Amino acid sequence: MTIFEQAFGADFARLHPRVRQRLSLGTASGTGMIGRGVMDRIWRGPAFTAPFLRLGTTRHILFPEQGRDVPFTIENYPYVDSFGRETLSFVRTFELPGRRRRFDAQMVLDPGTGRIVDYLGTHQHVATDLRLGVREDGGFRITSGEFRLHEGPLRTVLPPRIAGTAAVEEWFDEDIGQFRIEVVVANPRFGPVFGYHGRFTATFVEQGVSGAVKPLREKVLW
């Protein structure tokens, strides 16, 4: 089974057929997925959040730019990483006016907990366990757990007041024949910090994966 089939368990059958197809990507399937669409809006919190978001651009995590009707691509490719883990890329590219931004993540299954671990950025220095849920319309809901930082000798759990939480809602919209997505990153003290919402069409392709969607460094969550 793929990492999402294992993580959802019996709830996987409750997902919309198109959502199940989208999440049934693994090295055994021989396929990946490229989604192309438009983010209706990309936004950020108050101006004081911009320096923090700008810091994220150095490793393809967050960014401070805002926009409407922004062309968007997401690349989901399954592969086996250097630790022998079944991995699924979630590489998002936003074509903002005059600037391209990326938001990279690689997901693996923790066999000990049965949860998916989301490694963020080009160097996998931040990771979080994901909580999965099924929406009434057959879409899925993902919320982050605690964020763990591993940079050089430093290994620590980031306090919630610093890290905040991330929430993703994705579903298949029968009326337009496309997937819809909403992402919100929020901080318990400062409120909503970053987010976007929009739609995309999924195309399933041969599994071949390039280094362009792989991280520069791989980590094991401690």
Side-chain angles (χ1 to χ4, degrees):
M1 294 190 294
T2 67
I3 62 172
F4 276 100
E5 288 175 301
Q6 295 179 71
F8 272 106
D11 283 342
F12 194 77
R14 297 173 51 210
L15 294 168
H16 186 285
R18 293 295 300 275
V19 175
R20 286 202 306 270
Q21 181 186 25
R22 168 154 159 57
L23 297 182
S24 295
L25 300 176
T27 53
S29 72
T31 57
M33 190 221 78
I34 299 177
R36 294 185 174 90
V38 173
M39 290 300 103
D40 300 323
R41 183 185 174 214
I42 301 174
W43 56 268
R44 63 166 169 78
F48 65 79
T49 65
F52 165 74
L53 296 172
R54 190 170 292 110
L55 181 63
T57 66
T58 62
R59 293 198 172 179
H60 292 177
I61 299 181
L62 300 173
F63 51 87
E65 289 81 12
Q66 305 181 81
R68 292 184 180 273
D69 301 323
V70 177
F72 166 82
T73 303
I74 182 168
E75 298 175 85
N76 295 133
Y77 286 108
Y79 64 94
V80 177
D81 74 2
S82 60
F83 294 103
R85 302 175 299 186
E86 180 88 2
T87 305
L88 185 61
S89 72
F90 274 74
V91 173
R92 312 155 184 93
T93 304
F94 304 84
E95 301 290 350
L96 290 145
R99 187 180 298 274
R100 173 179 292 173
R101 292 299 194 192
R102 279 180 43 162
F103 188 174
D104 293 6
Q106 313 295 330
M107 298 189 183
V108 304
L109 186 75
D110 183 340
T113 64
R115 285 184 171 176
I116 288 177
V117 180
D118 194 13
Y119 287 90
L120 304 177
T122 56
H123 290 66
Q124 295 194 346
H125 65 297
V126 177
T128 181
D129 291 342
L130 301 181
R131 303 182 181 93
L132 308 180
V134 180
R135 292 164 43 110
E136 290 186 1
D137 59 7
F140 62 84
R141 179 182 302 105
I142 296 177
T143 55
S144 63
E146 64 182 17
F147 286 88
R148 299 175 184 176
L149 175 65
H150 183 181
E151 185 64 23
L154 177 64
R155 298 186 180 194
T156 186
V157 176
L158 296 175
R161 67 180 181 277
I162 295 175
T165 59
V168 179
E169 303 262 353
E170 188 177 308
W171 66 100
F172 188 77
D173 188 330
E174 294 279 1
D175 293 334
I176 64 172
Q178 292 183 304
F179 291 90
R180 289 194 180 273
I181 184 170
E182 294 182 0
V183 173
V184 175
V185 178
N187 180 277
R189 181 177 179 183
F190 302 117
V193 173
F194 174 84
Y196 54 86
H197 65 268
R199 59 200 184 279
F200 64 90
T201 299
T203 301
F204 294 90
V205 297
E206 291 186 5
Q207 182 174 305
V209 56
S210 73
V213 298
K214 290 184 177 182
L216 298 178
R217 182 179 67 195
E218 294 174 337
K219 295 276 190 175
V220 173
L221 183 67
W222 52 278

